[in-house]
Amino acid sequence: MSDVEIRDLHKCFGKLEVLRGIDFTVESGQVVCVIGPSGSGKSTLLRCVNLLERPTSGKVLVDGVELTDPDVDIDAARRRVGMVFQQFNLFPHLTALRNVTIAQERVLRRGRAEAESVARTELARVGLADKADAYPAQLSGGQQQRVAIARALAMNPALMLFDEPTSALDPELVGDVLTVMRQLAEEGMTMLVVTHEMAFAREVADRVVFMDGGTIVEEGPPGQVIGAPRHERTRTFLRRVLNPTHVDTDGAR
């Protein structure tokens, strides 16, 4: 069974149609990377998957539950989905450990001792066992993002969503976060990742989805979509991403 099924998904903000009929699935244990230019609808797609944005029409099913069903217990369904944002969204007045325990206690109703045990396990999983008592201001951006990943993992999600998780990081810190994500992929975590990190998409993804203008232009194995794209729009995008100093002289968009 697919962990994620997206069927004819549309999202409008007023007269602006941001998603225009998105259809695809993510199978259990797969990593699907979504690439594309800014404004193509990638982040909106992720936010519709866990209903941070309510789709205008279409269906989203996660782990067999239709989140877009008006009668669904959205809080219960959303617990199956972990999300990591571009910004870390940590509570600045709480330690790393407390940032990872608070949702467990309030949402999953775990006791303090159990929540702390899970939090320490997940902080160790992302390489931060020695930072449990540190506050966000005492951590680098990469470390803060790894705390955010630990926080999401502590909720035992069936699916992890990543919305450009390295875009706010200094270049030298990107590798630590991608290493954690690569480890999660190797462990069989189902992941839907919006990213501009083409090397990560090429090496880790089972499938790559290229979006532009609110539609899926092309999807397939990374060797095809990134290595030998079929559509000119995909080729133009990849030329600009992989060769940022290249200047198109043919006027191609």
Side-chain angles (χ1 to χ4, degrees):
M1 181 178 66
S2 299
D3 267 15
V4 183
E5 294 183 49
I6 299 170
R7 302 176 184 169
D8 195 27
L9 192 69
H10 292 255
K11 176 61 182 177
C12 299
F13 293 99
K15 294 182 179 179
L16 178 63
E17 192 173 17
V18 178
L19 298 177
R20 300 189 291 161
I22 301 295
D23 285 284
F24 73 91
T25 62
V26 183
E27 303 295 330
S28 179
Q30 277 193 333
V31 177
V32 174
C33 286
V34 183
I35 64 173
S38 297
S40 60
K42 307 183 303 295
S43 293
T44 300
L45 171 63
L46 285 196
R47 294 175 69 86
C48 285
V49 168
N50 68 353
L51 293 198
L52 290 176
E53 297 287 353
R54 176 72 64 170
T56 304
S57 64
K59 293 183 177 182
V60 176
L61 293 91
V62 175
D63 209 21
V65 177
E66 184 188 339
L67 271 62
T68 42
D69 184 337
D71 297 325
V72 74
D73 182 344
I74 186 58
D75 290 331
R78 195 180 278 149
R79 289 173 200 156
R80 303 290 290 156
V81 182
M83 187 158 182
V84 178
F85 299 87
Q86 297 178 30
Q87 301 299 327
F88 322 125
N89 298 327
L90 300 179
F91 293 109
H93 62 292
L94 300 179
T95 64
L97 182 70
R98 189 67 182 134
N99 265 283
V100 181
T101 61
I102 189 168
Q104 296 183 66
E105 294 175 22
R106 296 187 179 181
V107 177
L108 300 182
R109 303 299 181 188
R110 287 175 178 159
R112 174 66 68 92
E114 181 185 5
E116 287 193 358
S117 176
V118 171
R120 291 186 186 280
T121 297
E122 297 303 344
L123 286 170
R125 190 177 180 185
V126 300
L128 294 175
D130 61 336
K131 299 295 184 181
D133 296 325
Y135 289 87
Q138 299 171 314
L139 302 173
S140 71
Q143 289 170 333
Q144 290 184 62
Q145 190 63 294
R146 283 187 280 156
V147 172
I149 294 172
R151 177 181 58 190
L153 292 172
M155 304 298 285
N156 298 327
L159 166 70
M160 285 285 286
L161 307 177
F162 292 87
D163 187 6
E164 298 189 28
T166 61
S167 65
L169 301 180
D170 292 335
E172 64 182 6
L173 302 177
V174 168
D176 291 340
V177 173
L178 293 181
T179 296
V180 169
M181 294 172 63
R182 188 188 307 268
Q183 174 187 322
L184 293 177
E186 291 172 352
E187 293 172 0
M189 174 64 72
T190 307
M191 299 163 60
L192 182 56
V193 183
V194 170
T195 186
H196 287 301
E197 301 289 343
M198 293 299 118
F200 176 85
R202 189 194 300 267
E203 296 169 14
V204 179
D206 296 289
R207 290 189 4 257
V208 173
V209 173
F210 173 66
M211 289 183 62
D212 187 37
T215 65
I216 294 176
V217 175
E218 184 167 358
E219 68 172 306
Q224 176 225 300
V225 176
I226 298 176
R230 298 172 180 171
H231 291 263
E232 179 56 32
R233 181 66 188 101
T234 315
R235 290 193 287 270
T236 301
F237 170 78
L238 289 170
R239 278 200 301 270
R240 292 182 174 179
V241 171
L242 298 175
N243 301 286
T245 61
H246 175 77
V247 178
D248 282 327
T249 58
D250 58 3
R253 180 178 176 273

